[in-house]
Amino acid sequence: MRRRRGRIARVLTLIAGLLGGAVAALAVAGLLATWIITLVVEARYPPAGRRIAVEGGHLAVLEAGPGEGSPSRGTVVLLHGASANAMDPMQAIGRRLAGDGFRVLSFDRPGFGYSDRIAPDAASPAVQARLISEALAGLKVGPALIVGHSWSGALATAIALDHPERVAGLALLAPVSHPWPGGGVGGYAGWYRSLPGRILLTIATYTVAAPLGLTYLDRFAEVVFRPQGLPEGYLDGARVPLVLRPSTFGANLRDLDGLYAFLERQSPRYRDITAPTVVIAGDSDPVVKTDVHARALAREVPGAKLVVLPGVGHMLQYVAADTVVAEIEALAARERVGAQ
């Protein structure tokens, strides 16, 4: 009996060793695949703008239109949403606004694209607002039209509340602005609330996230564009694969996880926004519910204009670009009249 138990124990030990070796081999393979994907992605999408020094690091910015000191219709600052980078809004509406005579600055948010994460608490829109305001000061940009999409609805309003001297007007596109029913972010981002979850996410970020993400990136993008279709060439043109790099993937998850608690604190302050504001959203947005966010925000910001587009989803800067550009230009005209 003892010999039998000994044999069973040795077999179990062998199986455990084999399983452990297999897991280790998979982890090493994942690390290698992630490293290769990161190198390939950065080679395909190298830095396209310049980096602006701020305290603790640099922010990357794309520029279009009249340069510093040249006559223009004003400066427009574009702020991208989650899982994106500065090229996303630039290719959607930025170049068109530049062609219409605006100086356009599109920032990689801290930790995205080619911007440094900079601060340990950079997941907070308030911290990102401080860093972007500092970058605008470094660029000698006076009050500008701030355009924020999705996650950056929280960021753009934070700039308007905490750094009003930088804001001539706000254009908020499918903005996230209020705590939503259900309380917080579920799924992977919510795992950051526990130590085991953070450990698992960190391991996944450096092993399986990039290979799986690269395989299914087009499907994820299709969901965000619903009910409209995914534009041809979107992933490549918007440089979306940059989000698969471990540092950016982790920053994206932390930004999402902290958003709900931040909005609980910020949303009661919207009545203090003084900048001219337009809120644009689609009534078929499957990602950011228009009734919870855009409609509520437009009610609370004094004098805000609300534009709800029938049948339009979350990526309205692409699928309703004419309307978005027209509203930004109208906001610019409104700001100039108010300044006279």
Side-chain angles (χ1 to χ4, degrees):
M1 181 64 80
R2 290 179 180 175
R3 291 179 180 177
R4 183 179 179 185
R5 289 199 195 100
R7 286 196 298 271
I8 292 173
R10 286 193 294 273
V11 169
L12 291 175
T13 300
L14 177 61
I15 292 172
L18 291 173
L19 287 175
V23 170
L26 287 173
V28 171
L31 283 167
L32 180 60
T34 297
W35 176 69
I36 292 172
I37 289 170
T38 298
L39 291 178
V40 170
V41 165
E42 290 187 339
R44 183 172 180 82
Y45 309 109
R50 59 169 162 159
R51 283 160 54 87
I52 308 302
V54 295
E55 184 178 359
H58 294 79
L59 292 181
V61 61
L62 303 177
E63 302 174 77
E68 180 182 342
S70 301
S72 74
R73 298 176 63 184
T75 300
V76 176
V77 174
L78 303 177
L79 303 173
H80 64 83
S83 306
N85 61 79
M87 190 63 77
D88 187 293
M90 179 62 85
Q91 79 157 0
I93 57 174
R95 293 193 181 100
R96 180 166 168 181
L97 287 165
D100 290 343
F102 291 92
R103 181 187 182 193
V104 179
L105 304 173
S106 188
F107 281 92
D108 284 329
R109 293 194 290 105
F112 293 77
Y114 285 94
S115 285
D116 301 329
R117 188 62 166 174
I118 301 172
D121 54 351
S124 168
V127 173
Q128 296 193 22
R130 172 177 59 80
L131 294 170
I132 288 170
S133 296
E134 185 181 344
L136 290 174
L139 287 166
K140 298 182 172 59
V141 172
L145 298 177
I146 309 294
V147 181
H149 174 243
S150 192
W151 192 96
S152 279
L155 172 56
T157 48
I159 296 174
L161 287 165
D162 298 341
H163 309 275
E165 73 282 359
R166 296 291 162 204
V167 182
L170 286 176
L172 306 171
L173 316 179
V176 178
S177 59
H178 288 75
W180 50 90
V185 175
Y188 298 122
W191 289 11
Y192 269 103
R193 295 169 196 166
S194 70
L195 179 59
R198 287 195 294 274
I199 293 172
L200 286 173
L201 273 180
T202 300
I203 293 171
T205 295
Y206 285 90
T207 55
V208 300
L212 288 177
L214 193 62
T215 301
Y216 295 105
L217 203 56
D218 56 343
R219 300 183 194 181
F220 297 148
E222 285 172 358
V223 170
V224 177
F225 270 88
R226 290 176 183 169
Q228 282 72 44
L230 182 66
E232 185 177 354
Y234 167 74
L235 293 177
D236 194 51
R239 299 156 65 99
V240 176
L242 284 170
V243 77
L244 299 175
R245 299 170 301 168
S247 60
T248 305
F249 190 85
N252 194 46
L253 290 177
R254 289 188 289 275
D255 282 8
L256 290 170
D257 180 55
L259 185 58
Y260 183 91
F262 175 82
L263 292 173
E264 285 186 309
R265 299 188 298 271
Q266 176 169 277
S267 56
R269 301 174 59 201
Y270 292 141
R271 64 179 66 91
D272 297 329
I273 292 176
T274 58
T277 300
V278 59
V279 182
I280 313 171
D283 68 359
S284 299
D285 190 334
V287 179
V288 177
K289 300 302 180 183
T290 296
D291 287 344
V292 174
H293 300 276
R295 292 187 191 276
L297 183 61
R299 286 194 300 268
E300 295 167 18
V301 175
K305 177 182 179 181
L306 174 65
V307 179
V308 177
L309 305 175
V312 172
H314 189 61
M315 299 296 283
L316 64 166
Q317 71 273 32
Y318 282 88
V319 303
D322 289 349
T323 299
V324 171
V325 168
E327 290 295 339
I328 293 172
E329 295 190 348
L331 182 66
R334 176 180 168 189
E335 185 271 328
R336 284 196 299 273
V337 170
Q340 291 177 354

